[in-house]
């Protein structure tokens, strides 16, 4: 591939947050959507990830005409700032009628609410000029297995996806898998599950996926291999880059913060497979630390973006010929050492480092 990918970046308004966690209240004061939109371009971002109620607050209390009016205002606010909506996602996990999940709730009335809500999300998405709907299936799972019929739950998720595809013939659905939190187990925990659902749908071409780094780690999987799997199926429509320090609460740390090498490998897989060349966004889903003061509310966004771009440079300057030789010699010890040296910026000639390989010197 000759030309360099011109990467475009996105994040969601929820990524500028107030620092509440399950054990304590907010520690920073909130910003309005418009204040947040004003920061996108200066921070180097062009795409806005939306929940339906980020676009239209209290949408359940509003009439269709009011929803349409508010949506138009947000569309104009985007246009005024040369921003685009990357996708809209129904925030199904907040509502009293989705306590037991939406599409997989045991209550028929709740399932109807969830379906009506996603169809309204599609209307909102079209008004802010995007065809893309993200489904993070937050409460489509169980705390205990006996609570729902899992086989039926998969059918219900599939039926909802089909209903969405039929409601709007241009809509694209991106499934964002996550194995746990808020549920003990979610029904679509990995990219393999999500892609299987896509193929099973009435229009597989219009169902793709979004991979979040932390969600793969929480499933005990390698994010870059998950991305490669989706790319192999041409199903990687977006990413939520962030980081996660092992199996803890969902951390949404800045990209590369816990595992720089894993971040390098995610960027390597994206860059080497031409991700972004069809306009796909490099999306972030990161939270600033609770300890950060008001003035640092966006630091994690600019830092994650910068880390991504530094790692693109690391991928572009990686010695592919040396990699080829070391792979051919099956000298993965040397390959491992070389990756670390490259990431640390240590040169071959440094007096601290032993010669890279015995195999290449004919001793192996
Ligand atoms: C949860 C998530 C979600 C989704 C978002 C967009 C709140 O772990 O990752 O963030 O990314 O709802 O669909
Ligand atoms: Mg996410």
């Amino acid at each position: 591939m000759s030309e360099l990918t011109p990467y475009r970046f996105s994040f969601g308004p929820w990524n500028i947050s107030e620092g509440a966690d399950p054990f304590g209240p907010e520690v920073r004061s909130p910003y309005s959507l418009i204040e947040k939109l004003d920061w996108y371009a200066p921070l180097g971002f062009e795409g806005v990830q939306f929940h339906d109620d980020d676009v239209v607050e209290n949408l359940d209390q509003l009439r269709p005409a009011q929803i349409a009016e508010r949506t138009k205002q947000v569309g104009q606010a985007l246009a005024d700032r040369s921003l685009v909506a990357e996708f809209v996602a129904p925030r199904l996990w907040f509502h009293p009628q989705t306590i037991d999940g939406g599409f997989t709730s045991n209550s028929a009335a709740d399932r109807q609410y969830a379906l009506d809500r996603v169809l309204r999300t599609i209307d909102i998405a079209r008004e802010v000029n995007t065809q893309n709907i993200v489904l993070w299936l937050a409460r489509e799972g169980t705390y205990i297995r006996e609570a729902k019929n899992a086989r039926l739950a998969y059918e219900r998720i599939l039926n909802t996806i089909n209903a969405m595809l039929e409601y709007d013939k241009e809509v694209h659905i991106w499934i964002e898998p996550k194995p746990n939190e808020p549920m003990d187990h979610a029904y679509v925990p990995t990219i393999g599950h999500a892609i299987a659902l896509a193929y099973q749908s009435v229009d597989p071409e219009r169902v793709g996926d979004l991979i979040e780094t932390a969600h793969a780690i929480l499933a005990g999987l390698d994010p870059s291999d998950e991305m490669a799997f989706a790319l192999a199926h041409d199903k990687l429509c977006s990413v939520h880059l962030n980081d996660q320090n092992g199996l803890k609460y969902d951390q949404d740390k800045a990209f590369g913060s816990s595992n720089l090498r894993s971040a390098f490998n995610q960027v390597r897989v994206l860059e080497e497979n031409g991700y972004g060349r069809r306009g796909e966004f490099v999306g972030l889903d990161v939270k600033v630390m609770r300890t950060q003061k008001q003035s640092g509310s966006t630091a994690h966004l600019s830092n994650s973006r910068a880390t991504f771009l530094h790692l693109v440079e690391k991928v572009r300057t990686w010695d592919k010929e040396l990699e080829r030789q070391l792979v051919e010699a099956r000298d993965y010890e040397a390959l491992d050492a070389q990756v670390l040296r490259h990431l640390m910026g240590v040169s071959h000639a440094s007096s601290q480092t032993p010669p890279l390989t015995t195999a290449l010197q004919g001793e192996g």
Side-chain angles (χ1 to χ4, degrees):
M1 291 183 186
S2 50
E3 296 210 346
L4 301 180
T5 308
Y7 287 108
R8 317 155 80 194
F9 296 87
S10 73
F11 70 87
W14 66 90
N15 289 143
I16 300 175
S17 61
E18 293 78 48
D21 68 21
F23 299 98
E26 300 181 348
V27 293
R28 293 177 293 270
S29 48
Y31 294 102
S32 70
L33 177 63
I34 295 298
E35 284 172 307
K36 291 179 184 181
L37 292 181
D38 281 338
W39 277 321
Y40 273 73
L43 289 168
F45 291 80
E46 181 192 345
V48 185
Q49 310 167 17
F50 280 113
H51 293 125
D52 50 1
D53 58 0
D54 292 322
V55 183
V56 184
E57 262 181 80
N58 302 318
L59 62 94
D60 281 310
Q61 275 81 59
L62 302 180
R63 292 189 309 275
Q66 294 172 304
I67 294 179
E69 193 189 314
R70 171 66 184 156
T71 310
K72 261 197 198 76
Q73 286 168 3
V74 174
Q76 190 57 48
L78 293 176
D80 291 345
R81 292 162 183 77
S82 302
L83 302 177
V84 295
E86 185 192 8
F87 64 73
V88 182
R91 195 183 332 236
L92 273 173
W93 52 95
F94 260 73
H95 196 272
Q97 275 195 272
T98 60
I99 288 170
D100 191 28
F103 316 142
T104 66
S105 169
N106 285 321
S107 147
D110 290 356
R111 292 198 301 276
Q112 188 60 49
Y113 168 79
L115 178 61
D116 293 344
R117 173 89 183 238
V118 290
L119 300 186
R120 250 181 313 161
T121 302
I122 293 175
D123 297 339
I124 291 173
R126 302 310 300 266
E127 287 278 354
V128 292
N129 269 322
T130 176
Q131 303 173 314
N132 309 321
I133 305 295
V134 166
L135 290 183
W136 168 47
L137 300 164
R139 296 191 192 280
E140 313 304 350
T142 49
Y143 302 112
I144 58 168
R145 301 298 83 70
E146 299 84 354
K148 288 181 187 170
N149 177 330
R151 164 90 202 252
L152 184 59
Y154 279 113
E155 268 172 45
R156 286 176 166 162
I157 293 171
L158 181 63
N159 289 343
T160 309
I161 289 170
N162 286 339
M164 294 169 71
L165 294 169
E166 267 152 17
Y167 176 75
D168 183 326
K169 297 286 183 205
E170 284 171 0
V171 85
H172 287 240
I173 299 171
W174 302 345
I175 303 170
E176 179 180 353
K178 182 178 181 182
N180 63 295
E181 202 206 32
M183 306 312 290
D184 177 67
H185 273 291
Y187 286 134
V188 185
T190 71
I191 203 63
H193 293 78
I195 289 178
L197 268 172
Y199 285 137
Q200 220 184 353
S201 75
V202 292
D203 193 354
E205 291 284 302
R206 290 194 286 138
V207 185
D209 299 285
L210 183 162
I211 294 183
E212 174 162 326
T213 311
H215 296 180
I217 294 170
L218 287 169
L221 298 170
D222 181 87
S224 68
D225 281 350
E226 290 286 274
M227 288 172 189
F229 182 82
L231 286 161
H233 290 266
D234 198 13
K235 289 282 184 209
L236 191 61
C237 304
S238 192
V239 290
H240 274 177
L241 300 184
N242 59 15
D243 215 345
Q244 170 75 28
N245 187 19
L247 299 180
K248 299 189 173 72
Y249 65 96
D250 183 2
Q251 300 182 310
D252 294 337
K253 283 160 138 349
F255 183 52
S257 155
S258 269
N259 190 334
L260 195 57
R261 183 165 181 178
S262 166
F264 168 71
N265 277 304
Q266 291 166 64
V267 176
R268 190 175 61 86
V269 163
L270 296 174
E271 164 80 3
E272 289 185 350
N273 289 288
Y275 178 86
R277 283 166 183 259
R278 288 177 293 186
E280 305 96 315
F281 277 98
V282 174
L284 303 178
D285 195 355
V286 287
K287 273 198 200 79
V288 79
M289 288 180 232
R290 189 169 194 271
T291 41
Q292 202 64 15
K293 294 184 180 167
Q294 190 79 25
S295 59
S297 293
T298 61
H300 58 314
L301 294 161
S302 38
N303 289 337
S304 294
R305 179 181 179 279
T307 300
F308 179 89
L309 290 171
H310 286 311
L311 288 172
V312 169
E313 273 317 297
K314 284 288 170 189
V315 174
R316 290 178 182 165
T317 55
W318 168 242
D319 188 341
K320 292 285 289 178
E321 174 52 24
L322 182 59
E323 177 193 85
R324 194 196 60 72
Q325 290 173 24
L326 295 174
V327 168
E328 193 165 293
R330 214 214 304 139
D331 194 347
Y332 302 149
E333 285 294 346
L335 182 60
D336 188 38
Q338 183 56 21
V339 170
L340 294 181
R341 289 179 197 183
H342 185 61
L343 290 178
M344 289 187 289
V346 174
S347 78
H348 297 256
S350 164
S351 57
Q352 306 272 338
T353 50
L356 186 63
T357 174
T358 49
L360 288 186
Q361 293 162 349
E363 293 168 25

